[in-house]
């Protein structure tokens, strides 16, 4: 047994002194400006081309740069590109890189790096695949010139290489971009305004980025992803909080500066604190969906799908799952309300929101009483609530409903199954898409090709034709016309139920300034006073 | 005793093999797919399938199992699917916070629970005894997360004397910063064990106090302090140490909750994150690691009996 002899006590003091002074030394060394952030999710992997996860995309924006970037009007603007030209027939595009671009290891960014990066991205991203399908060649003619030759005029060249959300075509050194598109990269050298500190990365907890002192920002003012990316803090530290209550407490206690995605129901607590600002930073918000499995009965019948949609009153979903009306609105366009293609053509079916009309439509559809399996992800509160509301609505119109509770991971694997319900299949799951991913018909969720499309596997040749025509359109009028056709087809086939547009606020302490209004979270331009 | 220790260590091998096989099969047979999580919400079925292929998840289960066992035999716990870091690195990153949290909790628990239980036994029926029993019932009844939030609300948000969350390594930030961040998690996690051990100590010491040798000690004129410390408590030590050991083993569950509430980047949270993401190599590695620790604790408890009770020999 340890006795408190003089010798033991001296030993304990000797141990305590360096430990105590170690703390003082650590405090003295922290004169740099640090932005302490709670990100919306844990950064599980570091390759924003390998995964579509938004947290990996946000990580990508910190350390990589893009050839083009969307401004706040969702128009592509040059970012790494200095100038570009298009041939009269629209088939040859020439891009010139701007001066002063360097990788984090100090070597210059070359056109060959950018070609390799685009090629890797083109193997994974939907828009990238479409672009490469009309491409004859993509070459680096010298160190700072990229030439893209197309086999047909294509209306989404800049929109594709400047897309704002996953998968963003981030530029990587050629040696990194040479990695198989279905394998993760293990070299995180970028050319963006911040540098990833791999040695300090603790998966599930902490990510540290330091300012890239050599980064040369553009001279234009910042506008969403475009303009001058000026790192105004020395360090950005992401600390992942699995518990929302603790996260809010940490923000209010001043242990954290910025909380990217607090639950809407915690907003009133933070709003009551005079040191905290709670605001909606993403003008497009998120769009909720009820996705049908088009392959299995009863939703292999278009009339049954449309009857179900008629019962889905957006106000009920939004009030039940999101709550405070200042964080949601109804939206009867497949493109987020407030974006250039938004319209209400063909939207009568989703505006119905009436149980009696839906009941009559179901009776006329030939529904035979086949039970409907709804997958309910209980670990995602909004989606869990959507699932329960759908269950009540479908029961109310006379459908047999089986709500199966599971976690989101299980749901994501099960929704990939095309098998009958008895073999693990499903009928409905709920999700949301961020508005920025739905701004045009190229979103994978709007696909009408069951072989290459999204889970639920909608099939409609006219829909696919309109999507292809949209991609080829070169004027805004043409794009709007094809955009309307796509929407009409989506409602006509009852591809999905649309449940409303909702907004998740950000919360930050008042000493944080320079927030950029955007559907994606950026960390340049932010400073801590 | 040397041969006993060797025998016990050898006996862990089949146990670990059974645990490994069980964990492997349970994970493969339960729903969920890391490829779907990796691909993200907007990936197509085709993408998910390509990633499954790349990760080797489409191989027959016996082939996957063979590869994993071969890896284990080389002392390699594998590489995390998501972070691409070796599982041993992930465990190494998270070991210190969990280990120190558990250690501080055990020390605090023993320092509080054993004297409380002993005094309650000595003063059986008094208000102290009733208070200890009341505390025990309350300690068992209040869920860890409720207690955690209450402590944060009072001590961090209202009185502002302790931080809300986080972990500061004593080797990097110094002892004071470490302790400041550890006080609330340790109190939160230890309450249930204090309740358990205080109750156990009370019952055991009370029983021992009825023994003839205690009466003899008193008759010989020993002070009450000496009677309690060297006659009663020492003879009650074996069951108390057993309960403490079981408490340490049970602590793994409590650590998961405590680390989440106080945002401590320890092994408990690593388990939770890995399970939610279906990161098979990490889950398998962690369960093997925890099993090993569990077995080790049991061995240490058994060995400690020989120190506490000279009649026990192996």
């Amino acid at each position: 047994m340890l006795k408190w002899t003089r010798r033991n006590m001296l030993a304990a003091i000797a141990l305590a002194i360096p430990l105590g002074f170690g703390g003082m030394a650590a405090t003295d060394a922290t004169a740099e400006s640090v932005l302490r952030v709670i990100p919306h999710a844990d950064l599980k992997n570091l390759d924003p081309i390998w995964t579509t996860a938004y947290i990996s995309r946000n990580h990508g924006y910190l350390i990589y740069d893009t050839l083009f970037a969307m401004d706040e009007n969702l128009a592509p603007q040059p970012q790494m590109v200095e100038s570009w030209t298009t041939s009269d027939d629209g088939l040859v595009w020439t891009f010139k890189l701007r001066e002063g671009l360097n990788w984090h290891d100090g070597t210059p960014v070359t056109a060959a790096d950018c070609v390799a990066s685009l090629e890797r991205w083109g193997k994974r991203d939907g828009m990238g695949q479409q672009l490469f399908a009309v491409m004859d060649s993509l070459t680096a003619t010298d160190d700072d010139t990229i030439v893209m030759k197309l086999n047909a005029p294509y209306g989404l060249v800049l929109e594709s290489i400047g897309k704002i959300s996953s998968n963003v075509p981030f530029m990587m050194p050629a040696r990194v971009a040479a990695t198989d598109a279905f394998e993760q990269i293990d070299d995180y050298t970028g050319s963006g305004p911040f540098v990833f500190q791999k040695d300090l990365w603790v998966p599930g907890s902490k990510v540290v980025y330091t300012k890239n002192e050599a980064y040369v920002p553009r001279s234009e003012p910042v506008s969403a992803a475009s303009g001058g990316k000026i790192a105004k803090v020395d360090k950005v530290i992401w600390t992942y909080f699995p518990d929302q209550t603790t996260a809010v407490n940490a923000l209010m206690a001043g242990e954290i500066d910025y909380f990217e995605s607090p639950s809407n129901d915690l907003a009133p607590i933070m709003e009551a604190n005079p040191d905290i600002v709670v605001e909606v930073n993403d003008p497009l918000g998120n769009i909720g969906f009820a996705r049908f499995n088009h392959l299995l009965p009863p939703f292999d019948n278009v009339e049954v799908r449309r009857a179900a949609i008629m019962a889905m009153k957006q106000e009920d979903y939004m009030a039940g799952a999101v709550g405070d009306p200042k964080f949601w609105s109804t939206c009867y366009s497949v493109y987020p309300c407030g974006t250039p293609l938004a319209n209400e053509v063909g939207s009568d079916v989703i505006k119905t929101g009436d149980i009696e009309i839906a009941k009559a439509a179901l009776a006329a559809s030939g529904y035979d009483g086949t039970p409907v399996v709804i997958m309910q992800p209980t670990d995602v509160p909004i989606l869990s609530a959507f699932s329960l509301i759908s269950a009540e609505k479908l029961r109310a119109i006379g459908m047999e409903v089986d709500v199966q509770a599971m976690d989101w991971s299980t749901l994501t694997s099960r929704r990939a199954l095309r098998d009958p319900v008895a073999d693990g299949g499903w009928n409905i799951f709920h999700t949301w898409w961020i508005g920025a991913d739905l701004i045009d018909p190229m979103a994978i969720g709007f696909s009408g090709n069951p072989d290459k499309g999204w889970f639920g596997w909608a099939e409609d040749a006219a829909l696919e034709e309109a999507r292809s025509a949209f991609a080829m359109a070169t004027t805004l009028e043409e794009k709007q016309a094809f955009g309307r056709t796509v929407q009409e087809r989506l409602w006509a086939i009852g591809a999905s139920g649309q449940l409303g547009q909702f907004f998740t606020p950000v919360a930050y302490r008042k000493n944080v300034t320079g927030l950029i209004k955007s559907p994606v979270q950026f960390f340049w331009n932010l400073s801590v006073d | 005793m040397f041969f006993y220790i060797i025998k016990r260590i050898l006996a862990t091998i089949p146990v670990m093999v059974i645990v490994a096989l069980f964990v492997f099969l349970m994970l493969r047979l339960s729903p969920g797919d890391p490829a779907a999580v990796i691909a993200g919400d907007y990936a197509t079925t085709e993408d998910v399938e390509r990633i499954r292929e790349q990760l080797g998840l489409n191989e027959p289960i016996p082939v996957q199992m063979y590869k994993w066992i071969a890896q284990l035999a080389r002392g390699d716990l594998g590489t995390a699917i998501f972070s691409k870091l070796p599982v041993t690195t992930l465990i190494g990153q998270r070991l210190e916070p969990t280990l120190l949290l558990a250690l501080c909790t055990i020390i605090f628990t023993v320092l509080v629970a054993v004297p409380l239980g002993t005094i309650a036994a000595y003063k059986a029926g008094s208000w102290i005894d009733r208070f200890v029993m009341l505390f025990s019932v309350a300690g068992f009844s209040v869920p860890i997360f409720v207690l955690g939030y209450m402590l944060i609300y009072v001590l961090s948000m209202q009185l502002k004397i302790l931080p809300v969350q986080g972990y500061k390594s004593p080797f990097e930030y110094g002892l004071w910063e470490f302790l400041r961040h550890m006080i609330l998690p340790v109190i939160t996690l230890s309450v249930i064990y204090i309740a358990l051990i205080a109750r156990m100590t009370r019952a055991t010491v009370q029983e021992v106090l009825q023994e003839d040798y205690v009466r003899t000690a008193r008759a010989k004129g020993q002070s009450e302090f000496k009677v309690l410390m060297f006659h009663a408590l020492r003879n009650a030590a074996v069951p108390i140490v057993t309960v403490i050991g079981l408490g340490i083993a049970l602590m793994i569950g409590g650590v998961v909750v405590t680390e989440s509430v106080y945002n401590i980047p320890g092994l408990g949270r690593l388990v939770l994150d890995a399970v939610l993401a279906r990161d098979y190599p990490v889950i398998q590695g962690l369960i093997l690691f925890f099993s090993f620790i569990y077995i080790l604790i049991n061995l240490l408890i058994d060995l400690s009996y020989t120190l506490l009770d000279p009649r026990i020999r192996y």
Side-chain angles (χ1 to χ4, degrees), chain B residues 293-305:
Chain B
I293 295 289
Y294 193 91
I295 291 167
L296 193 70
I297 289 169
N298 275 307
L299 177 62
L300 291 175
I301 293 166
D302 286 352
L303 295 179
S304 73
Y305 292 161

Side-chain angles (χ1 to χ4, degrees), chain B residues 177-245:
Chain B
E177 272 303 299
F178 164 73
L179 288 175
R180 256 169 45 81
H181 285 81
M182 207 41 96
I183 290 171
L184 292 185
V186 166
I187 294 175
T188 305
L189 186 55
S190 58
V191 162
I192 191 164
Y193 300 107
I194 291 174
L196 174 76
I197 294 166
R199 208 180 170 92
M200 185 70 194
T201 306
R202 177 189 178 275
T204 317
V205 171
Q206 204 174 20
E207 199 179 307
V208 171
L209 284 173
Q210 313 299 319
E211 295 290 337
D212 290 343
Y213 52 80
V214 171
R215 194 176 304 118
T216 308
R218 280 177 174 148
K220 280 164 64 184
Q222 292 268 324
S223 69
E224 282 302 297
F225 179 75
K226 281 188 176 172
V227 168
L228 268 179
M229 290 301 292
F230 302 114
H231 295 269
L233 199 53
R234 187 155 187 199
N235 281 294
V238 170
I240 294 170
V241 167
T242 307
V243 174
I244 291 172

Side-chain angles (χ1 to χ4, degrees), chain B residues 47-108:
Chain B
D47 290 338
V48 175
E49 202 47 42
R50 284 284 298 269
I51 293 172
R52 293 194 97 252
E53 195 68 44
Q54 199 73 45
L55 296 173
L57 297 171
N58 280 341
E59 289 178 340
I61 289 180
V63 174
Q64 291 183 45
M65 189 189 283
Y66 169 76
K67 285 184 176 173
W68 184 58
I69 300 280
Q71 211 175 32
L72 278 183
R74 295 194 301 271
D76 180 4
L77 288 179
T79 304
I81 290 175
F82 287 86
S83 63
K84 266 191 99 178
L85 292 174
V87 174
T88 43
T89 304
L90 289 173
I91 292 176
Q93 281 179 336
R94 306 298 195 96
L95 191 58
E96 183 195 306
T98 303
L99 208 60
L100 290 183
L101 173 62
L103 193 68
C104 292
T105 303
I106 294 159
I107 293 170
F108 183 68

Side-chain angles (χ1 to χ4, degrees), chain A residues 386-416:
Chain A
F386 282 168
S387 308
L388 295 176
I389 296 167
S390 284
E392 280 314 300
K393 298 225 172 265
L394 297 186
R395 284 188 187 116
I397 65 172
M399 299 188 95
E400 282 281 317
V401 178
D402 175 13
V403 179
Q404 296 185 2
M406 60 193 72
D407 68 352
W408 178 248
S409 284
T410 303
L411 189 151
T412 56
S413 61
R414 194 167 158 190
R415 72 179 176 181

Side-chain angles (χ1 to χ4, degrees), chain A residues 42-44 200-206 240 242, chain B residues 83 85-102 167 255-256 259-260 263-274 282 286 289-290:
Chain A
D42 169 35
L43 181 67
K44 284 188 170 56
L200 301 177
W201 179 39
V202 182
S205 176
K206 190 171 79 168
Y240 173 60
Chain B
S83 63
L85 292 174
V87 174
T88 43
T89 304
L90 289 173
I91 292 176
Q93 281 179 336
R94 306 298 195 96
L95 191 58
E96 183 195 306
T98 303
L99 208 60
L100 290 183
L101 173 62
Y167 171 77
V255 160
V256 174
E259 287 180 353
S260 292
N263 206 38
I264 296 170
L267 289 172
R269 271 193 38 204
L270 186 61
V271 177
L272 196 66
D273 293 342
V282 180
L286 280 167
F289 177 75
F290 283 134

